[in-house]
Amino acid sequence: QLKEEGNKYFQASDYEKAVQSYTQAIKLNKDKALQAVLYRNRAACFLKKEEYAKAASDASRAIDINSSDIKALYRRSQALEKLGKLDQAFKDAQKCATIEPRNKNFQETLRRLGANIQEKLRIQFSTDSRVQKMFEILLDENSEKEKREKAANNLIVLGREEAGAERIFQNNGISLLLQLIETKDAELILAAVRTLSGMCTGHKARATAILHYLGIDNICMWMSVDNEEISLAVCNLLQAITDCLLGQGKEEQHGKEEAVVLDTKKDLRMITMRLLDMLVSKKVSGQGRDRALNLLNKNIPRQDLKDHDNSRTIFVIDNGLKKILKVVGQIPEMPDCLPLTENTQLTASVLLNKLYDDLRCDPERDNYRVICEEYIKSKIDPQDMDKTLHAIQMVSGVLQGPFDLGNKLLSMKGVMEMMVALCGSEREIDQLVAVEALIHASTKLSRATFIISNGVTLLKEIYKKTKNEKIKIRALVGLCKLGSAGGTDYGLRQFAEGSTEKLARQCRKWLCNTSIDTRTRKWAVEGMAYLTFDADVKDDFVEDEPALQAMFELAKTSDKTILYSVASALVNCTNSYDTKELVPELVQLAKFSKQHVPEEHPKDKKDFVVKRVKRLLKAGVVSALACMVKADSAILTDQSKELIARVFLALCEDPKDRGTIVAQGGGKALIPLAVEGTEVGKIKASHALAKIAAVSNPDMAFPGERVYEVVRPLVSLLNTERDGLQNYEALLSLTNFAGRSDKLRMKIIKERALPDIENYMFENHDQLRQAATECMCNLVVNKEVQERFVADGNDRLKLVVLLCGEDDEKVQVAAAGALAMLTAAQKKLCSKMTEVTTQWLEILQRLCLHDNMEVQHRGLVIAFNLISSDKELAKKLVETELLEILTYVGKQEDDP
């Protein structure tokens, strides 16, 4: 009975239930012949389910009972072929052909398997000889350069293919690749490392073997070299090994039996320890240090905070936090400094931030803080100024990472006082470090107040007296930053002594000077972020194309401060910040009481803002913003995302500019901004998306699957908490989307937009009501929407009929269009239309006699649908004045 039940399930293609029935039958059965049939049948199910190892096993059990069971033999042959065991599959097919020599199916299978085996052998032998030949060419010093380059490239390609990688691995290839690395020839080293990367990708057993054969010390030593290409290639190799050890990047392939691999935790810890050791080694180049930091950034903190295991982060904090702090505390201008690049210390600050964010509870954060405090305290020594400088630099670095922790470190005894004291030092290096630390510390108002009362005079003195450009620019930014933090009492103009334009010119000069290091030029960007609060400054800045281009170029670097500063400057230039509307009565009251009333600067009026926006678009601001959006989440903060979204919204204001924005990648860049970040930022980005989507072809603005990602941000703007313009433009863009495809209509429905769209159809505001009705007109093509109108107990159809009687022609066109499509698609709605309101006939007659041809056409289609739907309804209509109207229209001159 169970066997028959299994057969029925198999015929119905329900293989899971068939397996269950056969399995129960196998347990109950004692008859050997029936047992063979049951195993054979279950093997057929496993073949259909693509569980080939189980299919081969069941077929073998059937063959053990009856060695000439032709069905079982053929099924095992099919399973073994899928598992890649071609020679064994061939033997089973051969037995089948011997038992039934005239069976064409068996003969065809034999031919196919024979050809596949020959091809496999050919590839194997040709790969072996190719590998051997390539190594001979590469290791022969007398080989021609062109031949060696070709052999190197071929080897890399082979390493990426599974068959090639396995042949290299089996034929002593690792040893030969190691010989290539030891030649000290950059091209050969690159070829060898890239081949090894290909061999490790997606293969845990091979990656583990290669790691142990090469040795982590050797890999780290190669990554430490001062050659960007080699260092990056070795970094990629180590990432490929790490991915395998973490179980990532593995491709599912049938028939690959995973070799037994020991627990990977030990190897991962060994890699982590060596990377941490690299951070503080003088033998490691700046490039190598950056690579080590990048690998730690990518692989240590959890990718998903829902995963409770943050043991790798805890391990790094316990064993390497002091090493990261040492990197952050380096001073490039001092002789004992470790080799660094321009990005090293910021990358280390990003790592500090990621590790801190990855902690799960207060005790873990307290442990992190205590380690930092103790290490910084150990460096503060009033008798040794150089040692103290490193401590202040560390605090400065932490303030660029986990900001809350940085603020706690500032409150440590003597830290703030030491910063102010260093500002007054005669040594330039002391001034440089102190000014930079003061800038980072002054972000919080409480700190700014302390610095204003203690350090402003010093900063002014430094700015006026120093001849060192690096210090001068930092002092200027410090004054600008304190100006904005200190409010009106310590306003920017007071610091600049009425010459903000002069300071801005100086900043622009630094910005364009490529001979100054990036670390110094970034302060010029930050200076512009503060100075562009002045309307004259922002107007001059957007006219200075070299300065704009220099800023956009700097925005492409991986620097959190630069991204925030560039975004801030652009918000100022486009006036896209929030402004409080001045109530005229309160202004008069303030004037009467002799209070200061801030007046709008003439250059902040709309005409000037529009000109600045056009200049920025011409200079390529969209490409720069799109590049900024791609930055790592630790660098592109939520605050920066909000600023970028504000800029995009300002750029999208003029419909004529939206095509340019789309062409330069603006549409694509806005999607992540609308999904992640601050609430304000998401709304601004969604509004910018709505402006683009309302007037653009969605297939061009958001090509491929990306168009579906835009729907949710647009629907979020329908919320009644959003303003009328946001509601209106969201409705326009959804109307555009709903007219494109049914898949997009379904996406709009799934995002629960229908209730909101229906609500706006009741709206008193003419434009909102019109936009919502037009949107519904495009949505009614969808069957699910039609079902909502057919369902009992709702007034949807009544609302559409009444909207057809509105005086607003645009609303009439949309409502009549929706009604025409609904009555054409659903006959039930034809009779229902006559029941929802007593005014239906009068409205229909008015539509059919309308002066506007578009409205009249829709009215006639509705009349045609009603007459076609039901004989009784047709009689009823013919008895009314509608017959005369139709006769009158029919006699008129034809309009296509």
Side-chain angles (χ1 to χ4, degrees):
Q1 190 183 336
L2 282 164
K3 176 182 165 257
E4 291 306 317
E5 190 183 86
N7 293 347
K8 281 177 186 172
Y9 283 132
F10 185 86
Q11 283 157 11
S13 301
D14 192 343
Y15 306 119
E16 190 58 53
K17 285 191 177 170
V19 166
Q20 288 170 11
S21 298
Y22 293 140
T23 305
Q24 279 181 282
I26 288 166
K27 286 176 185 173
L28 295 172
N29 178 55
K30 300 285 185 285
D31 180 358
K32 275 204 164 188
L34 180 57
Q35 197 80 342
V37 174
L38 290 167
Y39 276 126
R40 189 176 73 197
N41 288 3
R42 196 168 72 172
C45 295
F46 285 133
L47 275 174
K48 292 287 187 185
K49 290 177 74 186
E50 297 184 8
E51 294 178 20
Y52 301 119
K54 289 180 181 178
S57 172
D58 271 7
S60 296
R61 285 174 178 177
I63 294 161
D64 289 343
I65 298 166
N66 177 6
S67 59
S68 59
D69 185 335
I70 197 161
K71 284 185 178 178
L73 281 164
Y74 188 59
R75 279 167 197 169
R76 187 167 73 176
S77 172
Q78 288 176 296
L80 289 167
E81 183 185 352
K82 291 290 186 183
L83 289 167
K85 298 173 181 177
L86 300 181
D87 49 346
Q88 293 172 38
F90 187 81
K91 282 177 189 172
D92 281 347
Q94 214 167 24
K95 278 185 190 173
C96 293
T98 309
I99 298 165
E100 283 187 24
R102 292 184 182 178
N103 188 318
K104 286 182 181 177
N105 203 7
F106 297 157
Q107 295 297 335
E108 179 55 41
T109 303
L110 271 178
R111 262 197 304 277
R112 188 182 71 251
L113 285 169
N116 287 351
I117 289 167
Q118 288 302 314
E119 180 62 16
K120 190 178 178 182
L121 288 169
R122 189 186 67 74
I123 290 169
Q124 190 170 315
F125 289 125
S126 68
T127 304
D128 283 351
S129 60
R130 277 164 71 204
V131 168
Q132 204 59 43
K133 198 171 180 183
M134 275 175 234
F135 278 120
E136 281 170 16
I137 294 166
L138 290 167
L139 292 167
D140 182 2
E141 290 177 12
N142 300 319
S143 296
E144 293 172 25
K145 193 186 175 191
E146 202 174 313
K147 265 190 175 181
R148 288 179 93 177
E149 281 178 9
K150 195 174 179 184
N153 288 331
N154 287 341
L155 197 60
I156 294 165
V157 172
L158 266 177
R160 288 173 185 162
E161 295 167 2
E162 177 51 36
E166 197 54 36
R167 297 324 298 166
I168 297 170
F169 188 72
Q170 300 290 351
N171 291 348
N172 193 33
I174 309 298
S175 170
L176 294 168
L177 288 166
L178 197 52
Q179 282 183 48
L180 291 180
I181 293 170
E182 285 165 359
T183 61
K184 302 284 192 296
D185 182 315
E187 289 300 317
L188 295 182
I189 294 169
L190 275 172
V193 172
R194 285 168 180 165
T195 305
L196 286 164
S197 290
M199 291 170 70
C200 290
T201 304
H203 199 295
K204 189 188 278 188
R206 206 159 47 221
T208 308
I210 288 170
L211 172 67
H212 286 277
Y213 190 92
L214 298 175
I216 184 64
D217 290 335
N218 278 332
I219 295 172
C220 289
M221 181 180 73
W222 301 330
M223 195 162 70
S224 302
V225 298
D226 196 11
N227 179 308
E228 191 171 356
E229 267 196 297
I230 292 174
S231 182
L232 180 60
V234 179
C235 177
N236 290 337
L237 166 62
L238 200 48
Q239 184 61 59
I241 292 171
T242 305
D243 283 345
C244 284
L245 296 179
L246 289 168
Q248 295 166 1
K250 188 178 169 204
E251 292 176 19
E252 282 293 323
Q253 287 176 310
H254 291 299
K256 283 218 176 153
E257 291 175 25
E258 179 76 52
V260 176
V261 179
L262 295 170
D263 184 19
T264 58
K265 284 181 184 172
K266 193 177 174 186
D267 285 333
L268 284 166
R269 289 203 163 186
M270 177 178 69
I271 291 169
T272 305
M273 281 305 294
R274 292 298 178 277
L275 290 173
L276 290 168
D277 290 342
M278 281 180 72
L279 299 185
V280 290
S281 168
K282 284 206 166 184
K283 292 176 183 175
V284 176
S285 69
Q287 295 283 355
R289 211 174 312 283
D290 281 5
R291 305 290 174 226
L293 284 165
N294 286 332
L295 284 166
L296 290 166
N297 259 318
K298 188 172 181 186
N299 299 302
I300 300 303
R302 290 169 290 172
Q303 298 297 316
D304 184 0
L305 293 178
K306 288 174 188 170
D307 173 15
H308 287 290
D309 181 21
N310 68 340
S311 56
R312 292 202 299 276
T313 294
I314 301 296
F315 179 77
V316 168
I317 289 168
D318 291 341
N319 295 280
L321 183 54
K322 289 178 183 177
K323 292 173 181 175
I324 303 165
L325 285 169
K326 186 173 179 179
V327 174
V328 163
Q330 293 300 298
I331 299 163
E333 290 74 14
M334 292 187 84
D336 63 341
C337 182
L338 295 168
L340 306 171
T341 70
E342 287 172 340
N343 294 321
T344 307
Q345 287 174 288
L346 192 82
T347 312
S349 292
V350 169
L351 177 57
L352 288 174
N353 194 42
K354 279 191 165 186
L355 292 171
Y356 192 73
D357 285 348
D358 198 36
L359 298 175
R360 295 174 308 175
C361 55
D362 287 342
E364 287 180 358
R365 290 185 196 95
D366 286 340
N367 175 51
Y368 189 112
R369 177 182 52 77
V370 168
I371 293 171
C372 290
E373 283 180 356
E374 286 177 357
Y375 189 61
I376 289 166
K377 271 179 194 169
S378 72
K379 299 288 175 189
I380 294 177
D381 183 355
Q383 305 305 315
D384 186 345
M385 246 0 194
D386 286 359
K387 205 174 170 188
T388 304
L389 268 183
H390 285 295
I392 299 300
Q393 185 80 333
M394 274 177 219
V395 175
S396 193
V398 175
L399 280 161
Q400 293 173 77
F403 187 73
D404 293 343
L405 176 67
N407 271 317
K408 285 174 185 169
L409 298 179
L410 282 173
S411 58
M412 282 166 60
K413 192 180 174 186
V415 171
M416 292 294 288
E417 290 78 4
M418 191 62 72
M419 283 185 193
V420 173
L422 286 169
C423 274
S425 167
E426 292 298 312
R427 284 202 315 173
E428 285 191 341
I429 187 70
D430 295 348
Q431 293 176 7
L432 190 74
V433 171
V435 170
E436 206 166 297
L438 282 172
I439 293 167
H440 293 308
S442 64
T443 305
K444 252 207 165 148
L445 192 60
S446 56
R447 308 279 169 227
T449 312
F450 174 88
I451 298 162
I452 285 165
S453 54
N454 292 276
V456 166
T457 314
L458 287 168
L459 283 175
K460 277 188 181 181
E461 286 297 307
I462 290 169
Y463 180 73
K464 286 172 183 173
K465 287 180 181 177
T466 186
K467 296 212 166 50
N468 186 324
E469 296 277 271
K470 291 181 178 182
I471 297 170
K472 202 176 186 74
I473 191 170
R474 284 162 172 79
L476 167 63
V477 173
L479 290 169
C480 292
K481 196 164 186 176
L482 289 168
S484 63
T488 50
D489 295 338
Y490 296 94
L492 186 57
R493 287 186 178 278
Q494 181 188 333
F495 283 141
E497 291 164 357
S499 58
T500 42
E501 290 96 325
K502 185 181 169 187
L503 292 178
R505 275 198 299 278
Q506 183 62 54
C507 260
R508 297 207 312 265
K509 207 166 93 182
W510 282 321
L511 199 57
C512 298
N513 189 349
T514 49
S515 63
I516 301 174
D517 62 289
T518 308
R519 195 160 158 250
T520 303
R521 284 170 75 210
K522 85 171 187 181
W523 293 108
V525 182
E526 195 164 341
M528 288 312 300
Y530 293 110
L531 291 163
T532 46
F533 277 114
D534 187 295
D536 290 311
V537 169
K538 60 180 114 172
D539 222 49
D540 292 340
F541 182 43
V542 295
E543 292 297 323
D544 188 345
E545 183 135 353
L548 275 181
Q549 293 303 335
M551 186 173 81
F552 294 161
E553 201 55 44
L554 281 169
K556 293 172 187 174
T557 59
S558 301
D559 189 307
K560 185 164 74 173
T561 315
I562 289 180
L563 286 187
Y564 184 80
S565 301
V566 170
S568 299
L570 291 171
V571 163
N572 292 338
C573 292
T574 55
N575 285 40
S576 47
Y577 40 73
D578 290 330
T579 50
K580 285 182 182 175
E581 230 176 288
L582 294 173
V583 181
E585 289 82 1
L586 290 177
V587 171
Q588 290 303 320
L589 189 64
K591 281 181 180 175
F592 180 74
S593 57
K594 295 184 180 173
Q595 293 289 321
H596 171 68
V597 180
E599 289 182 22
E600 188 181 41
H601 193 287
K603 287 188 178 177
D604 275 334
K605 290 193 163 49
K606 194 177 178 183
D607 290 353
F608 280 92
V609 177
V610 169
K611 276 182 193 171
R612 286 200 292 270
V613 166
K614 301 284 182 192
R615 285 284 306 157
L616 287 169
L617 282 167
K618 193 180 172 187
V621 68
V622 176
S623 301
L625 292 172
C627 196
M628 288 162 74
V629 171
K630 290 175 190 168
D632 184 88
S633 58
I635 294 161
L636 185 69
T637 60
D638 285 352
Q639 287 73 24
S640 297
K641 285 179 192 171
E642 182 186 315
L643 295 174
I644 294 170
R646 285 177 181 277
V647 177
F648 264 123
L649 184 56
L651 297 174
C652 291
E653 195 58 41
D654 186 346
K656 291 174 191 169
D657 296 328
R658 293 172 199 171
T660 308
I661 292 164
V662 168
Q664 292 178 6
K668 180 183 172 184
L670 275 164
I671 298 170
L673 296 176
V675 177
E676 297 166 357
T678 65
E679 203 53 42
V680 172
K682 289 193 283 189
I683 293 165
K684 300 279 182 193
S686 299
H687 193 185
L689 277 174
K691 284 180 180 290
I692 289 171
V695 297
S696 309
N697 178 344
D699 301 330
M700 290 177 73
F702 315 103
E705 295 297 302
R706 201 171 284 128
V707 70
Y708 303 103
E709 295 173 42
V710 182
V711 175
R712 183 172 294 174
L714 297 179
V715 172
S716 71
L717 293 178
L718 298 179
N719 191 316
T720 48
E721 289 177 14
R722 308 285 166 259
D723 65 43
L725 184 61
Q726 290 167 345
N727 301 154
Y728 177 66
E729 293 190 309
L731 287 166
L732 290 185
S733 51
L734 288 170
T735 304
N736 195 6
F737 276 30
R740 303 305 297 180
S741 69
D742 205 53
K743 201 174 170 188
L744 266 173
R745 286 189 278 275
M746 280 308 298
K747 179 66 178 168
I748 294 168
I749 295 161
K750 278 181 185 170
E751 292 297 340
R752 301 194 179 107
L754 285 179
D756 286 324
I757 295 166
E758 286 167 351
N759 283 343
Y760 287 113
M761 287 168 74
F762 284 103
E763 184 64 53
N764 286 330
H765 193 287
D766 289 346
Q767 283 178 294
L768 280 174
R769 190 166 69 252
Q770 174 207 320
T773 312
E774 285 174 353
C775 190
M776 186 57 75
C777 178
N778 281 355
L779 285 169
V780 294
V781 183
N782 181 273
K783 280 201 166 64
E784 203 169 307
V785 178
Q786 292 166 12
E787 294 299 328
R788 289 168 71 93
F789 278 89
V790 172
D792 293 327
N794 69 75
D795 287 333
R796 289 189 184 93
L797 188 65
K798 181 180 179 179
L799 173 63
V800 174
V801 174
L802 292 173
L803 286 172
C804 289
E806 287 273 319
D807 292 332
D808 186 326
E809 277 189 15
K810 286 185 178 176
V811 173
Q812 275 188 305
V813 168
L819 194 57
M821 285 189 278
L822 284 167
T823 50
Q826 300 284 342
K827 285 192 176 181
K828 285 182 188 173
L829 293 176
C830 293
S831 55
K832 190 175 179 180
M833 177 184 157
T834 65
E835 297 161 9
V836 291
T837 172
T838 53
Q839 299 170 41
W840 71 271
L841 184 58
E842 184 193 333
I843 289 169
L844 181 59
Q845 289 172 348
R846 280 176 60 195
L847 291 177
C848 292
L849 275 173
H850 209 284
D851 296 335
N852 184 330
M853 283 289 181
E854 282 191 69
V855 180
Q856 189 183 34
H857 174 228
R858 284 155 175 73
L860 294 168
V861 171
I862 296 164
F864 175 77
N865 292 340
L866 295 184
I867 291 165
S868 308
S869 70
D870 180 68
K871 192 175 180 181
E872 290 304 314
L873 184 53
K875 275 185 186 177
K876 192 175 175 183
L877 284 168
V878 168
E879 287 166 8
T880 68
E881 291 172 6
L882 189 65
L883 181 61
E884 286 176 50
I885 293 168
L886 294 175
T887 310
Y888 165 73
V889 176
K891 285 176 182 175
Q892 282 185 327
E893 194 178 325
D894 187 39
D895 185 302

